[in-house]
Amino acid sequence: MNTKEKLTFAVEIGETMLKNGGEVYRVEETILRILHTLNIIECDVYVLSNGIFASAHESKEDACSIIRNCTLGAMNLGKIAQLNQLSRQLEAGVIDEQQALKILEEVKKKEDIPILFLMIACGLGCGSFTYIFGGTVLDAFFSFIVGFILEVFLSRKMQSKFIKQIFGSAMVTLCAITLSKLIFKNLNTDKIIIGCIMPLVPGIAFTTAIRDLFHGDYLSGTIHLLDAILTGLCIAAGVGSMMMLWRAL
């Protein structure tokens, strides 16, 4: 591979990691590790939460630069782990450039987790959280059903993530109130709501923000932290508005 192909290969790995929720410092380290392994020592890499800027051999004839805009997609920590392992295997000489290219294409083409599996996992998570927070077995059972429905809603593609968070939390609250007030009088509404909004809580975004801040990536850390705070406010708005509407009715 020439310089441009090497830089493109390294940036594509970083882009895939960043889109799947990778931390800024990890993406930057991975790109630099790959470039040094491919004998590109003179290089600069700057990674933000939604973009990558990379250049190589600026003082030579084969100088090139790449800019990528990376919009955050669905979190997939499995892809991050695979690409992280790829960079280390390439550095150790376990695989060559052609094998690394093949692995990268396989990771990029890897299908997402089946929706049925996600629905069952979301239901089990909601039921477990409801029970952990003091709900009964019956509360956990109905939380499983509500979580199952919630994942169906979350799997739909929408323009705004924040609109999805507001309507998702509102739907969860409506289902919990309907079950506990109109159908089964002995259910704990608050426990069901708390357990079922847990899949909406931006835990990974908040953790990534703290790790970025600790590593000195203040801009990316602030962006992730703001995203987590806004998501939390959207969840509160969805739950609060539905409870106020119910009381008014």
Side-chain angles (χ1 to χ4, degrees), residues 112-213:
D112 295 329
I113 302 173
I115 181 62
L116 180 60
F117 181 84
L118 291 175
M119 290 163 62
I120 296 174
C122 185
L124 289 173
C126 293
S128 300
F129 277 117
T130 297
Y131 189 76
I132 289 172
F133 290 134
T136 64
V137 176
L138 190 61
D139 295 333
F141 173 74
F142 284 107
S143 294
F144 172 83
I145 298 176
V146 176
F148 197 88
I149 299 172
L150 175 64
E151 184 58 40
V152 176
F153 175 79
L154 294 179
S155 63
R156 299 177 59 188
K157 293 183 179 181
M158 299 182 67
Q159 290 286 339
S160 174
K161 180 183 72 173
F162 298 120
I163 296 297
K164 182 185 290 187
Q165 299 288 340
I166 293 174
F167 280 97
S169 56
M171 183 191 67
V172 165
T173 307
L174 177 62
C175 292
I177 292 176
T178 303
L179 286 171
S180 60
K181 302 298 183 182
L182 300 180
I183 303 177
F184 298 94
K185 302 293 185 180
N186 57 342
L187 293 179
N188 297 307
T189 309
D190 56 339
K191 302 299 189 298
I192 296 176
I193 294 175
I194 293 172
C196 291
I197 64 173
M198 289 305 293
L200 302 172
V201 175
I204 295 179
F206 185 77
T207 304
T208 302
I210 299 301
R211 296 185 68 173
D212 285 343
L213 290 172

Side-chain angles (χ1 to χ4, degrees), residues 30-49:
T30 301
I31 295 176
L32 288 173
R33 186 189 297 271
I34 292 173
L35 291 176
H36 292 164
T37 303
L38 298 177
N39 298 320
I40 297 182
I41 307 301
E42 185 185 342
C43 57
D44 292 292
V45 178
Y46 181 57
V47 181
L48 294 173
S49 59

Side-chain angles (χ1 to χ4, degrees), residues 74-144:
M75 297 284 182
N76 193 325
L77 301 182
K79 289 185 178 181
I80 297 175
Q82 285 181 296
L83 295 176
N84 201 37
Q85 182 67 17
L86 184 153
S87 66
R88 280 158 174 74
Q89 289 178 337
L90 185 62
E91 184 181 31
V94 178
I95 59 177
D96 57 21
E97 297 174 9
Q98 298 303 320
Q99 290 175 318
L101 282 169
K102 184 178 179 180
I103 295 174
L104 174 60
E105 291 301 319
E106 290 176 354
V107 172
K108 291 171 65 176
K109 294 179 180 178
K110 187 176 181 181
E111 296 182 358
D112 295 329
I113 302 173
I115 181 62
L116 180 60
F117 181 84
L118 291 175
M119 290 163 62
I120 296 174
C122 185
L124 289 173
C126 293
S128 300
F129 277 117
T130 297
Y131 189 76
I132 289 172
F133 290 134
T136 64
V137 176
L138 190 61
D139 295 333
F141 173 74
F142 284 107
S143 294
F144 172 83

Side-chain angles (χ1 to χ4, degrees), residues 66-79:
I66 293 178
I67 299 176
R68 292 287 175 89
N69 179 28
C70 307
T71 56
L72 183 63
M75 297 284 182
N76 193 325
L77 301 182
K79 289 185 178 181

